[in-house]
Amino acid sequence: MLLFVGRMKEGEKKYKGKFDVPNLSEENEPDEVDVTFTVDKTTGDGPKLKEIMRTVGTGIMQQQFAKYIKTLKEEYSHNVILPTKDEKKKVTTEEVINAKVEMNKMVISNNTPAQSESVGVKIATKTLTTQEEFVCTPQDLYRVFTEKGMVQAFTGSPAVYEVEKGGRISLMNGFVTGGFVDLEPNKKIVKRWRLKTWPDAHFSEVTLEFEAKDGNTLLKLKQTGVPAKEYEKTLEGWRVNYWERIKQCFGFGASIF
């Protein structure tokens, strides 16, 4: 289920609702994709908004699905796109994940991993702070960071993800590793976090805070202990490999109206 917010032109009150897309895949043409809508309130303009979404919104969304499917086919060309149900060749889940891994690697300044510094060498560090707004509830966004299946969906790779205090984390074939330090459901996550290219055995501490804001969620991130020369790359990595992919994968990027 994904969220939307809308209002009638002649009205001032906003209504929240949800839509579900149960059969979006490369096997269906865009105009075959089903979209179901619900609204939180069935009084006032709620039912009218739901009907407009069904009659008008469905067509608009199917146009966007067409662009999405086309983009997927272009990106997954060269024998990595999933075959349709009528094709004889079958691609395994592992092959699809491996293909996605090649597309979803963390942003690195060049193709050669940085030379690791020796353990025990004092390194200069910085504190990174940033925030991003998502069109969803704090509960929905918290699930993205705590449910293994959702993490694997937006990273496009298998994960070791033990969601408990002291539990291990390994993402993107070991490029990101760490562990959970603290968990406050729907409010805060604290974890140890490092990139493979960082100095040996050096971890930062990442704190994610989930704050409701105007029907959306403001995610605040504070990361201490980031190697100074890795600061810009780490900041860009959060934007490209987390915020943008989460919004694209789960539709948390923008409301329809």
Side-chain angles (χ1 to χ4, degrees), residues 7-254:
R7 65 178 175 83
M8 302 296 289
K9 287 185 177 180
E10 64 274 12
E12 295 294 330
K13 188 173 182 180
K14 291 184 178 180
Y15 291 84
K16 296 180 181 179
K18 299 179 180 179
F19 64 91
D20 189 23
V21 187
N23 65 332
L24 177 60
S25 76
E26 77 288 342
E27 296 183 357
N28 296 315
E29 293 299 322
D31 58 3
E32 296 175 338
V33 175
D34 298 321
V35 187
T36 59
F37 298 92
T38 59
V39 290
D40 292 347
K41 295 183 179 180
T42 57
T43 57
D45 290 329
K48 293 181 182 179
L49 179 62
K50 176 183 175 182
E51 183 62 15
I52 290 174
M53 289 298 297
R54 185 186 70 80
T55 57
V56 180
T58 297
I60 296 174
M61 295 176 70
Q62 286 174 339
Q63 293 176 11
Q64 298 303 314
F65 295 151
K67 297 178 182 178
Y68 174 70
I69 292 172
K70 180 181 178 182
T71 300
L72 281 181
K73 290 181 178 180
E74 291 174 349
E75 291 180 345
Y76 290 177
S77 59
H78 306 299
N79 298 322
V80 297
I81 184 69
L82 280 171
T84 64
K85 58 187 176 182
D86 297 325
E87 292 178 311
K88 294 181 180 180
K89 182 180 177 182
K90 301 297 181 181
V91 178
T92 66
T93 301
E94 182 178 359
E95 288 173 326
V96 174
I97 290 176
N98 288 338
K100 287 185 177 181
V101 168
E102 294 304 312
M103 298 173 59
N104 295 330
K105 287 180 178 177
M106 190 71 74
V107 174
I108 305 177
S109 58
N110 54 56
N111 294 326
T112 303
Q115 183 67 33
S116 296
E117 297 181 25
S118 301
V119 176
V121 175
K122 186 176 181 179
I123 61 172
T125 63
K126 298 179 68 174
T127 295
L128 185 158
T129 58
T130 185
Q131 61 184 32
E132 189 76 12
E133 190 166 344
F134 296 83
V135 182
C136 63
T137 64
Q139 292 84 355
D140 287 334
L141 191 59
Y142 184 85
R143 287 176 55 222
V144 170
F145 287 94
T146 55
E147 292 191 8
K148 182 176 179 179
M150 299 183 78
V151 171
Q152 292 183 145
F154 81 79
T155 61
S157 62
V160 174
Y161 217 66
E162 301 170 351
V163 186
E164 59 184 3
K165 291 183 180 180
R168 294 178 302 148
I169 297 173
S170 180
L171 308 176
M172 304 176 188
N173 289 339
F175 192 77
V176 176
T177 54
F180 288 98
V181 176
D182 195 18
L183 294 152
E184 294 183 30
N186 307 322
K187 293 183 179 180
K188 184 168 71 172
I189 298 172
V190 182
K191 52 189 176 180
R192 297 172 68 246
W193 192 96
R194 63 171 269 109
L195 296 181
K196 188 176 182 179
T197 55
W198 285 12
D200 292 338
H202 179 81
F203 285 84
S204 65
E205 182 173 274
V206 174
T207 300
L208 300 171
E209 293 185 289
F210 305 81
E211 178 183 312
K213 179 184 177 183
D214 300 327
N216 299 329
T217 298
L218 181 65
L219 178 63
K220 297 180 179 179
L221 180 147
K222 180 178 181 180
Q223 185 173 11
T224 60
V226 179
K229 60 185 179 181
E230 297 278 336
Y231 179 88
E232 294 298 335
K233 184 171 69 177
T234 303
L235 179 61
E236 180 71 359
W238 284 113
R239 183 184 67 83
V240 173
N241 296 285
Y242 284 80
W243 313 155
E244 291 185 2
R245 295 193 186 283
I246 288 171
K247 289 178 179 182
Q248 291 170 1
C249 187
F250 304 111
F252 292 168

